[in-house]
Amino acid sequence: MSSEQYETFKLGDWELQSGERIQDAHIAYKTFGDPKSPAIVYPTWFSGAISDNFWLIGDDKLLNPNNFFIIVPALFGNGQSSSPSNQLSPGSFPKVSFYDNVRAQHELVTKHMGITHLRAVVGWSMGGAQAFQWATQYPDFMDLVVPFCTSARTSLHNQVFIEGVKSSLIAVKKSRSAGVGKIGLDREAPEAHTWTAEEKDVGLKAFGRAYAGWGFSQTFYRNKLYETALGFKGLEDFMANFWEKWACSKDPENLLVMLQTWQNGDVSQQAPYNGDFEKAMASIKAKALVLPSKTDLYFPPEDSEYEVACMTPGIGTLDIFPSIWGHWAGGPGDSAKDVEWLDEKLLQFFTNNRDSVNSLAEKLQSALD
């Protein structure tokens, strides 16, 4: 877990969609800017710590703390919010959904911070999936939503990808996947959740190498951007000192919790949609800017096109990262050109909707004036 500075909000025993609960749950978060400014929620992504979101925040960015109150809440399982790595005793962690995460964030925003309306929810990857979740779970709560390099429903192909990286990780425990959306076999005993140093080293390195073929595109590798843009000496150097290093900085049980959350992602799995994906997407009231990457191997533009087509006319706008960086086009800031493109799209979107969509707070202030 990162030693960075952040705050926590106690949730108590947190009831989950699965019928289970996280005992004495908490959500970790960090804020930027003046609480009186329009609020933006910017959730963390798969495996990311709160500090891994900082690349898109700054005085020179649309997410400027001088203009907005920016809230970065951490996913359950990221090691900062309630996670296997910070629970008191080893054992199975309850099944957590995007719905559970966003309900906790809503609690943080409303009950702890006293915020009654958001200007926007934005996010990359699993952070973007939470943006879609916010827009369907609390349709009247925000003006704008910007999910980038993500999806509102984890596609079948994406689920297959997750099965591969998950299975590579748990094989070292002599366990295999119990199926799509589940973690593994024989994992109920507490000792099954205790990893030796060797198991972590072997399992996480295998996980990192399995993931390496997915995060970046074929063209990224063909053009050897890992050398020219990222400075690695060759493919093996990149595999060992980028992918293995990234994976080995994580807790395997935390990764499994987040993988399960991701694999089961689907905004229609909540009332009142009850599995009707098209109805869920049509419920979105916030203006939406959906930004897939042209070369993303697990969130392809075709899925985003369908998501926008399911929205009410005039609600959703689609634009595509013209990037060869694959999923990494949307974050975490390694491609300066893509960061510039994204920030410009955010600026245009917020500017174009400045007058047509006013937050509840702005309306109330106008009435008071």
Side-chain angles (χ1 to χ4, degrees), residues 53-133:
N53 276 31
F54 293 178
W55 60 274
L56 196 56
I57 301 170
D59 293 350
D60 60 337
K61 302 288 196 304
L62 182 279
L63 296 186
N64 184 342
N66 295 313
N67 300 328
F68 297 105
F69 182 55
I70 302 160
I71 306 159
V72 181
L75 273 167
F76 289 130
N78 91 317
Q80 295 169 320
S81 290
S82 289
S83 306
S85 64
N86 59 39
Q87 66 180 2
L88 294 177
S89 57
S92 60
F93 196 80
K95 183 178 179 180
V96 179
S97 67
F98 284 123
Y99 179 94
D100 299 320
N101 276 281
V102 168
R103 190 168 74 87
Q105 293 167 24
H106 184 266
E107 190 97 344
L108 167 71
V109 166
T110 57
K111 294 191 176 179
H112 184 57
M113 298 179 175
I115 295 170
T116 57
H117 197 79
L118 297 172
R119 180 60 176 154
V121 184
V122 304
W124 173 54
S125 198
M126 278 184 80
Q130 291 167 83
F132 274 125
Q133 187 68 43

Side-chain angles (χ1 to χ4, degrees), residues 175-195:
S175 185
R176 61 184 185 273
S177 173
V180 175
K182 299 179 182 179
I183 290 180
L185 297 178
D186 305 320
R187 298 182 57 79
E188 294 307 312
E191 56 268 21
H193 300 269
T194 302
W195 293 65

Side-chain angles (χ1 to χ4, degrees), residues 155-208:
S155 71
L156 295 174
H157 184 255
N158 198 336
Q159 292 178 46
V160 170
F161 147 56
I162 295 170
E163 277 297 290
V165 295
K166 176 181 73 176
S167 296
S168 70
L169 176 59
I170 62 177
V172 73
K173 301 288 289 182
K174 296 182 172 60
S175 185
R176 61 184 185 273
S177 173
V180 175
K182 299 179 182 179
I183 290 180
L185 297 178
D186 305 320
R187 298 182 57 79
E188 294 307 312
E191 56 268 21
H193 300 269
T194 302
W195 293 65
T196 66
E198 182 180 16
E199 286 173 339
K200 284 186 178 181
D201 183 65
V202 173
L204 288 169
K205 285 179 177 177
F207 179 84

